[in-house]
Amino acid sequence: ADGQGALLMEIAIRRVSERYAHAVDSGDGALLAAQFTADGMIVSPRGTFEGPEQIRGIPAMLKERYLKTFHAVLN
């Protein structure tokens, strides 16, 4: 990609990462699911979560397990 295209892609990826972190930490399952394509999945030690409906449920599951979470998107 050209310089401008690469920069735009980098910004887009960072924004998705930031929205992912905010969604998990704020308990917003709809926002979390919106960061993935319809066939997106999360594979974690807690299991595999496929599609928007399962991904949407992750923040509630984490809220049952942890008092609070904090995700940071760093360079």
Side-chain angles (χ1 to χ4, degrees), residues 12-36:
I13 291 169
R14 177 158 185 107
R15 286 190 175 163
V16 167
S17 300
E18 290 167 345
R19 286 190 302 263
Y20 173 100
H22 175 72
V24 172
D25 294 337
S26 68
D28 190 336
L31 180 61
L32 179 62
Q35 305 318 301
F36 293 84

Side-chain angles (χ1 to χ4, degrees), residues 26-69:
S26 68
D28 190 336
L31 180 61
L32 179 62
Q35 305 318 301
F36 293 84
T37 59
D39 63 347
M41 73 171 56
I42 294 177
V43 178
S44 75
R46 303 268 308 151
T48 299
F49 304 88
E50 298 183 59
E53 193 60 39
Q54 288 185 3
I55 292 172
R56 192 176 293 115
I58 291 172
M61 180 189 68
L62 292 175
K63 194 168 198 154
E64 290 176 9
R65 185 170 178 92
Y66 303 105
L67 197 54
K68 188 169 185 106
T69 60

Side-chain angles (χ1 to χ4, degrees), residues 1-10:
D2 65 359
Q4 184 179 8
L7 178 60
L8 292 174
M9 183 61 71
E10 185 177 328

